[in-house]
């Protein structure tokens, strides 16, 4: 497994993984989640990043493996952003470049 991947690969792999989740949703619930449900799931995971960050810095009691869980949730949030951008017909790479250029 590579230790570093290109941003474009992150987006491509994220979309493929999301397609597999759509299959599970159709099988288990009879339909896919909406973009609004995906956005809510992203926000839930972003909230967990906050809690796990607090645990990582000793400001929140947590009994699990904080480092492992935080690494997972950070990656999951990036995944959700790629998925949401795709669902909204936006290019995440372009959006990120736009933001960085504007802020610089």
């Amino acid at each position: 497994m590579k230790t570093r991947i290109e941003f474009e690969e992150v987006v491509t792999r994220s979309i493929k993984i999301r397609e597999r989740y759509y299959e599970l949703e159709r099988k288990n619930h009879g339909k896919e989640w909406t973009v609004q449900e995906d956005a809510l799931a992203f926000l839930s995971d972003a909230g967990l990043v906050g809690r796990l960050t607090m645990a990582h810095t000793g400001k929140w009691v947590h009994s699990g493996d904080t480092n492992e869980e935080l690494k997972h949730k950070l990656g999951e949030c990036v995944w959700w952003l790629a998925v949401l951008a795709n669902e909204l017909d936006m290019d995440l790479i372009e959006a990120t470049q736009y933001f960085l250029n504007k802020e610089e």
Side-chain angles (χ1 to χ4, degrees), residues 15-30:
I15 293 167
K16 287 180 182 177
I17 291 168
R18 186 66 185 101
E19 290 297 325
R20 294 198 320 252
Y21 276 104
Y22 286 140
E23 292 173 19
L24 283 174
E25 291 159 8
R26 286 189 298 267
K27 179 182 174 184
N28 294 325
H29 307 293

Side-chain angles (χ1 to χ4, degrees), residues 26-99:
R26 286 189 298 267
K27 179 182 174 184
N28 294 325
H29 307 293
K31 62 181 182 175
E32 298 170 1
W33 282 12
T34 65
V35 66
Q36 296 90 345
E37 290 168 317
D38 283 353
L40 182 59
F42 162 68
L43 291 174
S44 297
D45 286 330
L48 289 171
V49 168
R51 287 288 191 203
L52 290 166
T53 298
M54 290 175 67
H56 183 78
T57 59
K59 300 290 184 174
W60 185 262
V61 177
H62 182 71
S63 60
D65 184 342
T66 303
N67 289 337
E68 194 69 24
E69 291 178 46
L70 185 55
K71 181 178 11 176
H72 180 87
K73 285 297 169 192
L74 285 169
E76 190 169 16
C77 284
V78 171
W79 174 77
W80 273 122
L81 290 173
V83 166
L84 289 168
N86 182 64
E87 291 175 339
L88 296 167
D89 295 320
M90 296 185 141
D91 183 316
L92 181 61
I93 297 166
E94 183 181 297
T96 303
Q97 288 172 333
Y98 171 81
F99 170 80

